[in-house]
């Protein structure tokens, strides 16, 4: 299939392109589009054949449910039932934005979209291109991240093109994602709200609005053997082609350990790479060194992670070391993705 690739400026949105994209969705086709978190691979959420096509294009198991994107709070009750009042409190505070809420699904949402579950994940993104595209598409766009299954979520149009060219009808390139990590997912279908995937909206943010919230304990701990509640969280994810290990410890110990390991791999002729905080980056010796941000700048670290993992692949790095980061606030989301990318390979020095 020939994929139409168009660049859109989010400060000057070309309505013709948006209408064309909306028509593709209404006719059962697929369009990749930018959101503030990562790029999405969109199809009509209420058309089971569109959802099937999404799974095919991604190469993703079909028991992994899709998020339905809306562009109007009033549309929640068209696709969800038994909506608890806190949904609206959270929507008022965090929508449009990087939050996905799980609710009981209405009849009209096909099981193909929800991976066979009787619940539905709903998000109202803040990116203006996404909002206009969702409206032009009929209001309900199912969209996973626009990467091939297993690869890091795309935060730049060029990575969507790399993964999806010739597999879908259209790619809208709207520049770099502002947040760079997928939305926080909160389940509102049980007695106590539970965070199923950490993101930019943190536990502390939720506690400013609602009384209690728990966190799915599988998020940072792989050892419990328990199954994550968001089906997609069980898969190996975000992985670069190179072998990635996370090193935790005092900065000087981390630098010393990584440099020693790098020399060992270099002696074997392997291309090496390091994901480093700005404070440390000058002390490393490796083929490729990527600065992810200042140590205390959680937002920058979150925004740069997926791009850097992709760049390690672009540069054909075979052995990658990353410094470990804090595990609170937004940094919890970054560590959750980094741990998955590393297949939970960590060393404490
Ligand atoms: O930021 C985002 O959320 C991006 C952009 C495109 O909006 N989308 C995204 O979608 O990350 P995806 O498909 O890559 O991740 C969706 C996650 C999966 O882990 C899936 O299992 C979970 O959401 N999920 C979806 N529906 C669910 C449901 N009904 N119950 C539990 N988990 C659900
Ligand atoms: Mg994904």
């Amino acid at each position: 299939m020939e994929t139409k690739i168009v660049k859109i400026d989010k400060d000057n949105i070309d309505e013709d392109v948006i209408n064309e994209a909306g028509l593709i969705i209404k006719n059962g086709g697929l369009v990749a589009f930018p959101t503030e978190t990562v790029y999405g691979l969109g199809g009509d959420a209420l058309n089971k054949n569109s959802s099937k096509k999404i799974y095919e294009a991604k190469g993703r198991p079909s028991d992994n449910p899709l998020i339905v994107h809306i562009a109007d709070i009033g549309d929640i009750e068209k696709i969800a039932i038994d909506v608890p009042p806190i949904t609206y409190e959270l929507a008022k505070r965090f929508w449009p934005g990087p939050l996905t809420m799980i609710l009981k699904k209405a009849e009209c949402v096909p099981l193909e979209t929800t991976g066979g579950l009787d619940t539905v994940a709903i998000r109202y993104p803040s990116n203006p291109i996404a909002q206009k595209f969702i409206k032009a598409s009929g209001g309900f766009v199912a969209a996973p991240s626009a990467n091939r299954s297993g690869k890091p979520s795309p935060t730049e149009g060029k990575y969507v093109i790399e993964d999806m060219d010739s597999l879908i009808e259209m790619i809208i390139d709207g520049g770099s994602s502002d947040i760079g990590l997928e939305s926080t997912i909160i389940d509102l279908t049980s007695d106590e709200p539970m965070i199923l995937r950490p993101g930019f909206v943190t536990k502390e943010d939720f506690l400013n609005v609602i009384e209690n919230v728990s966190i799915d304990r599988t998020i940072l701990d792989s050892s419990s053997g328990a199954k994550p509640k968001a089906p997609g969280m069980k898969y190996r994810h975000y992985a670069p082609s190179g072998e990635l290990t996370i090193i935790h410890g005092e900065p000087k110990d981390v630098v010393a350990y990584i440099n020693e390991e790098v020399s060992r791999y270099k002696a074997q002729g392997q291309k090496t790479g390091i994901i480093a905080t700005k404070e440390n980056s000058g002390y490393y010796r490796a083929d490729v060194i990527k600065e992810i941000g200042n140590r205390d700048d959680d937002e920058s670290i979150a925004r740069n992670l997926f791009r850097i993992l992709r760049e390690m692949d672009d540069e054909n790095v075979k052995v990658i070391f990353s410094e470990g980061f804090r595990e609170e606030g937004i940094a919890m989301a970054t560590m959750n993705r980094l741990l998955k990318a590393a297949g939970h390979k960590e060393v404490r020095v």
Side-chain angles (χ1 to χ4, degrees), residues 58 60 144-145 147 153 182 197 237-238:
K58 264 190 83 88
R60 169 180 187 158
S145 48
N147 51 287
S153 301
E182 308 88 341
R197 180 173 72 182
H237 249 303
Y238 316 120

Side-chain angles (χ1 to χ4, degrees), residues 127-165:
N127 180 300
I129 302 172
Q131 292 180 354
K132 290 200 162 174
F133 163 65
I134 293 163
K135 285 197 176 121
S137 300
F140 303 97
V141 174
S145 48
N147 51 287
R148 291 277 298 166
S149 196
K151 295 243 261 162
S153 301
T155 56
E156 305 277 343
K158 71 171 178 178
Y159 294 124
V160 180
I161 297 168
E162 203 172 285
D163 282 16
M164 292 296 156
D165 194 13

